[in-house]
Amino acid sequence: MSDYYSINGQLVKAEEAKLHVTDLTLRRGYGAFDYLRIYRGQPLFIDDHLERFQHSADILGLELPMTKLQLKHHVAELIAKNATTEAGLQFFLTGGYSADGFTPTTANLLILQVPLPARSAELFERGCKLISYPYQRDLPEVKSTNYLMAIYLRKAMREAAASDVLYHSGGYALETTRSNLFIVTHEGQLITPASGILKGITRNHLLRLASASIPIEERPIKLAEVYAAREVFISSTIRGTLPVRQLDEQLIADGKPGPVTEQLMAQFREHVEAYLAITEQTMLIHS
Amino acid sequence: MSDYYSINGQLVKAEEAKLHVTDLTLRRGYGAFDYLRIYRGQPLFIDDHLERFQHSADILGLELPMTKLQLKHHVAELIAKNATTEAGLQFFLTGGYSADGFTPTTANLLILQVPLPARSAELFERGCKLISYPYQRDLPEVKSTNYLMAIYLRKAMREAAASDVLYHSGGYALETTRSNLFIVTHEGQLITPASGILKGITRNHLLRLASASIPIEERPIKLAEVYAAREVFISSTIRGTLPVRQLDEQLIADGKPGPVTEQLMAQFREHVEAYLAITEQTMLIHS
């Protein structure tokens, strides 16, 4: 637990951070969400995350009480107050306190600092197992607070000893509960779905990094193509790039992380380092 | 606003009723929900509602902190404290305060008394307009806090001057955002979907009432059958039975409430009166 959370631009002691029970996100699951990672005290790719948070809010018709620039400064203030080096930040824009329990009102903006999950080095070396499940997220292009299916599926995941669940719809693979999907075909093409999904920030950076050296296609992926792929990996803010060695009972190729996956994992790590070096330098100049 | 809400079995002044921001229902939309109506100080069909609330909680793996009997007594206490005659009661069983923001913990139980929406007599006489939208609720047999699509669709509803949105999937009509669907065929059969929906308490009572005089089938209904039906109506705790005169741009039959709908509306009103008379009598005996 961190020391301070932010509620509507005010830093509040974590244990005192409360919302009134009439808030529409509590009662109706109607709210915008985002999540970024703090590395060495820097909010990684914060501009991308705030842009997406704004986009989610716009689609849901919820108004941010600050500009993106004000929000960025406020995040810096929160990180400084908590003296954070490594953590996650969850952003929520809620439906607000609603008298009729259905109509959004003035949104509440929450920012919660959360501990990072333990990282298993072995999982990243061996690759993870996914199970498939027929589902498409509601308003897939919006990062919302609706994780009903994701949390409901925890039991099935645990029983299958899987790391995540791959959603599919109409025969097409989409995304996992909290990550984007990539496959590498036997022809060496990198493919990721273009629609019906949340466009992850890590996904977008990976596509830009990969485009210099690998042929890329953003298009629908048949579930059968995933089982038959040469390589499969997933990407997210928490995981970066995580190889997939198994989908349901089927091993992907020989069940070992492939060279394209490993190349992109390394490139992404370097890319993060370069980003941090630039922001640290900018901070030195401004201090 | 009522004077008191209930949080975990404690009556709390409404304005002081708050939850900590780490609750999983706020952050992830993971919670069980129910709604009942208080008529003349009596919680209508409370046993049915508590049974369903328990069922939703079971599927979500959330534990009620009271037995159904304790909860029933507690509701009576809340109604007495607020001296309520006519209102709605919203029940929430949340995912609890979660350190990792993903794993449900000890559930919080909230009960909020809410004002009833204004009832338009004209709407019930003329019938309402629905618009159709391709969607199936997540975990449809669970009454959860996930109303993301329902609230998102408010704009489309308003623009079409519609009262509700009829969800359909794979060519089959399911339910509206907050009501069950019934059609009467030209052969005089009463039909309502059997699966892929929330089984409403009003729906279940209507089926029992109708079974004495009308042939009933619970089966999938093609969307085309709704457009072509002789009568269409929807049912819910708030609305009771509401005739549908129009779906999208298509009038249902001659656009007037039909005789089966009107018969069931009358029968349901009598049924509610009979229920209230029995519970009032039971109260007199016990007082």
Side-chain angles (χ1 to χ4, degrees):
Chain A
M1 282 286 165
S2 68
D3 295 323
Y4 286 85
Y5 291 160
S6 162
I7 302 187
N8 296 326
Q10 302 297 311
L11 301 185
V12 179
K13 280 191 182 153
E15 61 274 21
E16 292 165 9
K18 294 181 178 182
L19 278 195
H20 195 254
V21 293
T22 56
D23 191 278
L24 210 58
T25 300
L26 181 72
R27 289 159 83 188
R28 300 291 187 175
Y30 195 79
F33 176 60
D34 222 291
Y35 179 92
L36 66 74
R37 186 158 170 177
I38 302 170
Y39 269 95
R40 299 205 294 268
Q42 297 299 324
L44 190 69
F45 306 140
I46 186 167
D47 293 313
D48 298 346
H49 285 281
L50 295 183
E51 181 104 12
R52 185 175 62 182
F53 192 44
Q54 174 80 65
H55 179 68
S56 298
D58 287 347
I59 293 178
L60 296 180
L62 298 173
E63 204 170 324
L64 270 168
M66 300 186 199
T67 65
K68 281 178 280 184
L69 186 63
Q70 287 170 328
L71 195 45
K72 196 170 164 178
H73 288 310
H74 183 57
V75 165
E77 188 190 6
L78 178 65
I79 291 173
K81 182 84 173 179
N82 287 330
T84 314
T85 53
E86 310 295 325
L89 277 193
Q90 295 185 330
F91 294 74
F92 301 88
L93 191 67
T94 80
Y97 303 131
S98 178
D100 70 0
F102 212 71
T103 310
T105 61
T106 307
N108 288 304
L109 172 67
L110 305 181
I111 311 172
L112 311 191
Q113 185 174 309
V114 293
L116 293 172
R119 190 179 172 93
S120 154
E122 199 217 339
L123 189 68
F124 283 79
E125 278 161 32
R126 289 188 57 215
C128 73
K129 176 180 176 184
L130 303 181
I131 54 174
S132 63
Y133 191 84
Y135 178 64
Q136 179 164 28
R137 287 173 49 252
D138 304 346
L139 302 178
E141 75 275 32
V142 173
K143 197 163 176 80
S144 78
T145 55
N146 177 22
Y147 285 78
L148 185 72
M149 286 305 296
I151 295 185
Y152 174 74
L153 290 169
R154 283 172 62 254
K155 193 165 169 257
M157 254 173 62
R158 216 169 32 228
E159 284 169 2
S163 295
D164 207 341
V165 179
L166 178 63
Y167 294 144
H168 58 93
S169 178
Y172 288 92
L174 294 168
E175 59 190 336
T176 78
T177 66
R178 294 187 284 174
S179 296
N180 284 115
L181 173 74
F182 287 83
I183 68 170
V184 179
T185 65
H186 288 274
E187 293 72 39
Q189 263 202 327
L190 182 68
I191 306 179
T192 191
S195 62
I197 57 157
L198 183 78
K199 293 202 173 165
I201 305 302
T202 304
R203 168 194 184 277
N204 298 346
H205 281 267
L206 283 169
L207 284 177
R208 280 199 291 274
L209 288 172
S211 64
S213 56
I214 309 167
I216 294 175
E217 223 182 326
E218 289 183 66
R219 64 153 171 87
I221 299 177
K222 286 194 180 141
L223 191 57
E225 289 182 273
V226 184
Y227 292 112
R230 199 171 74 188
E231 300 181 35
V232 177
F233 64 91
I234 57 177
S235 71
S236 76
T237 293
I238 290 186
R239 290 160 167 158
T241 307
L242 175 62
V244 176
R245 67 172 167 76
Q246 185 177 347
L247 174 59
D248 299 322
E249 295 317 309
Q250 169 85 49
L251 278 190
I252 305 302
D254 61 357
K256 294 195 181 74
V260 174
T261 305
E262 291 191 330
Q263 179 201 319
L264 284 172
M265 284 171 85
Q267 273 185 281
F268 187 70
R269 273 194 302 268
E270 282 165 30
H271 178 62
V272 168
E273 286 301 324
Y275 177 95
L276 294 176
I278 288 167
T279 53
E280 277 157 14
Q281 205 167 23
T282 314
M283 281 179 74
L284 284 175
I285 291 165
H286 287 284
S287 65
Chain B
M1 286 282 170
S2 67
D3 294 323
Y4 287 84
Y5 292 161
S6 162
I7 301 187
N8 296 325
Q10 303 297 312
L11 301 185
V12 178
K13 279 191 183 152
E15 59 274 21
E16 292 166 10
K18 293 181 179 183
L19 278 194
H20 194 253
V21 292
T22 56
D23 191 277
L24 210 58
T25 300
L26 181 71
R27 288 159 83 190
R28 300 292 188 177
Y30 195 79
F33 176 61
D34 222 291
Y35 179 92
L36 64 74
R37 186 160 171 175
I38 303 170
Y39 269 94
R40 299 203 298 264
Q42 297 300 323
L44 190 69
F45 307 140
I46 185 167
D47 293 314
D48 298 343
H49 285 281
L50 294 183
E51 181 104 12
R52 184 175 63 183
F53 192 44
Q54 175 80 65
H55 179 69
S56 299
D58 288 347
I59 293 179
L60 296 181
L62 298 174
E63 205 171 322
L64 269 168
M66 302 186 197
T67 65
K68 279 178 283 183
L69 187 62
Q70 286 170 329
L71 195 45
K72 196 169 163 176
H73 287 311
H74 182 58
V75 165
E77 189 191 6
L78 178 65
I79 291 173
K81 183 84 172 178
N82 287 329
T84 314
T85 53
E86 311 294 326
L89 276 193
Q90 295 184 329
F91 294 74
F92 301 88
L93 192 67
T94 80
Y97 303 131
S98 177
D100 71 359
F102 214 71
T103 310
T105 62
T106 308
N108 288 304
L109 172 66
L110 305 182
I111 311 172
L112 312 192
Q113 185 175 310
V114 293
L116 293 172
R119 190 180 173 92
S120 154
E122 199 217 338
L123 191 68
F124 282 80
E125 276 160 32
R126 287 188 60 216
C128 73
K129 177 181 177 183
L130 304 181
I131 54 174
S132 63
Y133 192 84
Y135 177 66
Q136 179 163 29
R137 287 173 48 252
D138 303 345
L139 302 177
E141 75 275 31
V142 173
K143 197 165 176 80
S144 78
T145 54
N146 176 22
Y147 285 79
L148 185 71
M149 285 306 294
I151 295 183
Y152 174 74
L153 290 169
R154 282 171 63 255
K155 192 164 168 259
M157 253 174 62
R158 218 170 28 228
E159 285 170 1
S163 295
D164 207 340
V165 179
L166 178 63
Y167 294 144
H168 57 94
S169 177
Y172 288 91
L174 295 167
E175 59 191 334
T176 78
T177 66
R178 295 186 283 176
S179 297
N180 285 115
L181 173 74
F182 287 83
I183 69 169
V184 180
T185 65
H186 287 275
E187 293 71 41
Q189 263 200 329
L190 182 68
I191 306 180
T192 191
S195 61
I197 56 155
L198 183 79
K199 294 202 171 163
I201 306 302
T202 305
R203 168 195 184 276
N204 298 346
H205 281 267
L206 283 170
L207 285 176
R208 281 199 291 276
L209 288 173
S211 65
S213 56
I214 309 167
I216 294 176
E217 224 183 326
E218 288 184 66
R219 64 151 172 88
I221 299 176
K222 286 193 183 140
L223 191 58
E225 289 182 275
V226 184
Y227 291 112
R230 198 171 73 189
E231 299 181 33
V232 177
F233 63 89
I234 58 177
S235 71
S236 77
T237 293
I238 290 185
R239 290 159 167 158
T241 306
L242 175 62
V244 176
R245 69 171 165 77
Q246 184 176 350
L247 174 59
D248 300 321
E249 296 315 310
Q250 170 85 50
L251 278 190
I252 305 301
D254 63 355
K256 296 199 180 70
V260 174
T261 305
E262 291 192 327
Q263 180 201 320
L264 284 172
M265 285 172 85
Q267 272 186 282
F268 186 70
R269 273 194 303 267
E270 281 165 30
H271 177 63
V272 168
E273 286 300 325
Y275 177 96
L276 294 176
I278 288 166
T279 53
E280 277 158 14
Q281 204 167 27
T282 315
M283 282 181 72
L284 284 174
I285 291 164
H286 288 281
S287 64

